[in-house]
């Protein structure tokens, strides 16, 4: 009896070890156990067969019992999965009771703590026949692997059944709140307290939106281009603060406006830097925008822009343009037709319309209107240089057509005094002129020896309070030479200052376009 009992314990331990190994290694979907099998009651053990009486030596009863069990018990894997096509074919349950099951009438006591029964019929491990095969009921049998006597499992994963196990990969989705994956038996929970490795809760599918704006917003932002200057460009690093600010200014200067715009450069004092500032601004805008910019010398008589620009393929002036106005205003006129009367500056990517060079061709208000309409038809940005006479009609027409005013000054008494007087005069011209003052940009361009520290200390706060911005352009030997202004010959600091001036002007143009005139 003791050997039989030990043999049963040994087989139960082997079955538990096999279960743990099976739960640890993932198995195909056709061999995984049902996560929630129905509780079953095992049938009573089969009747013991008495050994035949023979004259030979009587065999050991324990060996006879083990041989009988092995003959009647099929393979564990095929019994556990009878419908598996990879093992033996499924068999119908036999009527013979399973010797591994306990009687359904009375749950057996704990096999690990019970004493040998005096009555052989009461021992679950004895070979005595049962009264009748017990039917399967919903009452579960006592689990000899439980840690406490009062524990009653709802389903034993080791219970063998003749029905094939359900495929967990084809089962319907579990309800919210239920644990995901197959349930572990009490013995397996001792080895896997956190559940089966690699079988976590499934992630919920997020709803997919097919709206165009949401799809565009979901696109990743473009990666910032590496640095183009200095050591950072060699190492392919991100640009520094200075280069990043320069990129922002270039993008601002390239703002696409919804209509042609006009920028006027004005200061009644001669020699205050109007023409160099006009060319610097036109070149910075042309390089940032890729063209579409024209610089116009609106001096009523004999300006000096023709001396500060390259004479490319045209010696024509505004007088020649006015003479061809009837032809250039035809519906079939082209940009190339107008460009024949302009000077193209390659380094700055802008065109130049110079003023008259003779005394008999003075520009008036009606001439300004014709030229302004023609240039606005073919160019996006017009940068107008003015003369020194505030009372001339073309000067006043330029102020009326302006979207932004740029006031070039030097930190000298006469240059600043003329600018202050012009602002005071415009302040009395009505609301449009007052708005033009608030959108004004002060461009400080000093030549060698032009800076007066006392004048700068007293007047800089005044210009900062009246205008929208003050931009300082450093002294450049190329500008001080008073020759044709070539943007490729400027110092890097001068080009950055010109780009900053273009960005400030573009910002004020955007503000002006948003305010109805």
């Amino acid at each position: 009896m003791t050997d039989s009992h030990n043999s049963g314990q040994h087989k139960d331990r082997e079955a538990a070890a096999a279960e743990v190994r099976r739960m640890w290694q993932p198995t195909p979907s056709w061999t995984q156990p049902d996560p929630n099998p129905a509780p079953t009651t095992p049938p009573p053990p089969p009747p013991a067969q008495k050994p035949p009486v023979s004259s030979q030596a009587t065999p050991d009863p324990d060996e006879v019992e083990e041989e009988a069990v092995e003959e009647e018990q099929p393979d564990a894997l095929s019994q556990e999965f009878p419908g598996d096509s990879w093992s033996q074919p499924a068999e119908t349950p036999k009527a013979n009771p399973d010797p591994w099951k306990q009687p359904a009438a009375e749950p057996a006591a704990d096999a690990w703590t019970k004493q040998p029964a005096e009555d052989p019929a009461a021992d679950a491990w004895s070979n005595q026949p049962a009264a009748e095969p017990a039917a399967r009921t919903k009452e579960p049998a006592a689990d000899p692997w439980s840690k406490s006597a009062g524990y009653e499992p709802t389903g034993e994963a080791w219970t063998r059944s003749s029905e094939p196990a359900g495929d967990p990969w084809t089962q319907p989705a579990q309800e919210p709140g239920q644990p995901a994956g197959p349930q572990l038996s009490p013995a397996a929970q001792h080895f896997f307290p956190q559940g089966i490795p690699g079988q976590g809760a499934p992630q919920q599918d997020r709803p997919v939106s097919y709206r165009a704006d949401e799809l565009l917003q979901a696109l990743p932002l473009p990666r910032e281009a590496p640095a183009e200057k200095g050591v950072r460009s060699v190492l392919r690093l991100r640009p520094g603060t200075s280069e990043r600010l320069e990129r922002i200014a270039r993008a601002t200067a390239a703002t696409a406006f919804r209509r042609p715009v006009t920028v006027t450069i004005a200061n009644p004092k001669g020699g205050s830097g109007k023409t160099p500032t006009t060319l610097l601004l036109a070149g910075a805008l042309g390089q940032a925008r890729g063209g579409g910019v024209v610089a116009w010398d609106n001096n009523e008589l004999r300006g000096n822009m023709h001396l500060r620009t390259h004479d490319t393929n045209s010696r024509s002036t505004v007088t020649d343009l006015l003479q061809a106005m009837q032809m250039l205003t035809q519906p079939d006129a082209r940009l190339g037709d107008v460009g024949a009367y302009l000077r193209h500056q390659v380094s700055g990517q802008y065109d130049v319309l110079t003023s008259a060079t003779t005394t008999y061709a003075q520009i008036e208000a009606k001439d300004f209107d014709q030229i302004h309409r023609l240039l606005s038809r073919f160019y996006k940005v017009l940068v107008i240089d003015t003369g020194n006479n505030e009372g001339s009609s073309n000067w006043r027409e330029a102020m009326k057509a302006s979207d932004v005013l740029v006031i070039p000054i030097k930190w000298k008494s006469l240059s600043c005094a003329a600018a202050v007087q012009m602002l005071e005069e415009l302040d009395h011209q009505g609301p449009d002129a007052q708005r033009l003052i608030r959108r004004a940009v002060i461009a400080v361009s000093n030549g060698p020896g032009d800076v007066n520290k006392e004048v700068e200390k007293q007047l800089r706060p005044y210009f900062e309070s009246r205008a929208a911005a003050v931009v300082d352009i450093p002294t450049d030997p190329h500008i001080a030479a008073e020759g044709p202004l070539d943007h490729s010959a400027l110092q890097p600091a001068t080009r950055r200052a010109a780009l900053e001036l273009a960005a400030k002007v573009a910002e004020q143009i955007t503000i002006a376009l948003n305010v109805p005139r």
Side-chain angles (χ1 to χ4, degrees), residues 252-482:
T252 305
T255 302
F257 308 120
R258 65 172 182 264
R259 62 170 177 82
V261 296
T262 302
V263 183
T264 301
I265 287 84
N267 188 335
K269 177 66 176 69
S272 58
K274 293 188 296 294
T275 301
T277 302
T278 302
L279 300 179
L280 283 175
L281 178 59
L285 289 171
Q287 289 177 337
R289 303 176 65 86
V293 181
V294 59
W296 173 14
D297 189 357
N298 187 37
N299 198 313
E300 66 276 7
L301 181 64
R302 194 177 290 133
N304 59 5
M305 187 173 288
H306 67 286
L307 301 175
R308 304 303 303 266
T309 57
H310 291 283
D311 183 7
T312 52
N313 59 350
S314 174
R315 294 178 178 267
S316 300
T317 64
V318 67
T319 305
D320 302 321
L321 184 68
L322 287 173
Q323 292 176 357
M325 188 63 65
Q326 184 177 0
M327 181 267 295
L328 296 177
T329 54
Q330 296 297 321
D332 57 348
R334 298 160 297 181
L335 176 60
D337 300 330
V338 179
Y341 299 90
L342 307 178
R343 296 183 176 187
H344 180 69
Q345 305 301 300
V346 178
S347 61
Q349 301 184 31
Y350 66 99
D351 297 334
V352 174
L353 176 61
T354 60
S355 62
T357 57
T358 57
T359 58
Y360 63 85
Q362 184 173 346
I363 304 300
E364 299 180 355
K366 61 181 181 62
D367 300 326
F368 176 88
D369 293 338
Q370 290 180 353
I371 298 173
H372 187 266
R373 285 196 300 268
L374 177 65
L375 296 180
S376 298
R377 178 181 173 184
F378 295 102
Y379 293 91
K380 299 177 181 179
V381 181
L382 281 66
V383 184
I384 301 177
D385 185 13
T386 59
N388 303 329
N389 185 4
E390 298 176 68
S392 62
S393 59
N394 64 324
W395 193 96
R396 294 183 177 275
E397 290 298 322
M399 287 297 171
K400 294 179 182 178
S402 299
D403 295 298
V404 172
L405 174 63
V406 176
I407 305 175
I409 64 171
K410 298 178 184 294
W411 292 127
K412 299 172 68 174
S413 299
L414 295 180
S415 177
C416 293
V420 171
Q421 292 175 357
M422 182 187 69
L423 291 176
E424 292 178 352
E425 181 67 22
L426 291 175
D427 202 11
H428 295 85
Q429 300 299 322
D432 292 340
Q434 294 174 358
R435 285 192 294 268
L436 193 62
I437 294 174
R438 291 193 297 269
R439 295 193 298 266
V441 179
I442 308 299
V444 184
S445 58
N446 296 296
D450 288 341
V451 179
N452 189 330
K453 295 294 184 181
E454 292 296 328
V455 174
E456 179 183 2
K457 182 179 179 180
Q458 294 178 3
L459 295 181
R460 180 181 285 273
Y462 168 79
F463 288 112
E464 290 178 350
S465 63
R466 294 298 303 271
V470 176
V471 179
D472 292 282
I473 301 174
T475 302
D476 195 296
H478 180 68
I479 299 177
E482 296 184 350

Side-chain angles (χ1 to χ4, degrees), residues 229 241-251 496 499:
K229 301 177 182 179
T241 303
S242 177
E243 186 174 353
R244 185 175 288 110
L245 293 177
E246 184 177 347
R247 290 182 178 182
I248 295 174
R250 186 180 297 108
R496 287 195 299 269
L499 183 59

Side-chain angles (χ1 to χ4, degrees), residues 114-127:
K114 59 180 288 186
Q115 300 295 331
E118 297 179 359
D119 188 1
D123 188 2
W125 302 95
S126 63
N127 296 328

Side-chain angles (χ1 to χ4, degrees), residues 151-190:
Y151 177 80
E152 294 183 1
T154 57
E156 176 58 62
W158 295 346
T159 304
R160 295 175 172 81
S161 173
S162 60
E163 300 177 359
D167 187 1
W169 300 99
T170 58
Q171 297 295 331
Q174 297 181 354
E175 297 295 333
Q178 293 184 358
Q183 299 297 321
L184 297 178
S185 62
Q189 289 179 2
H190 176 72

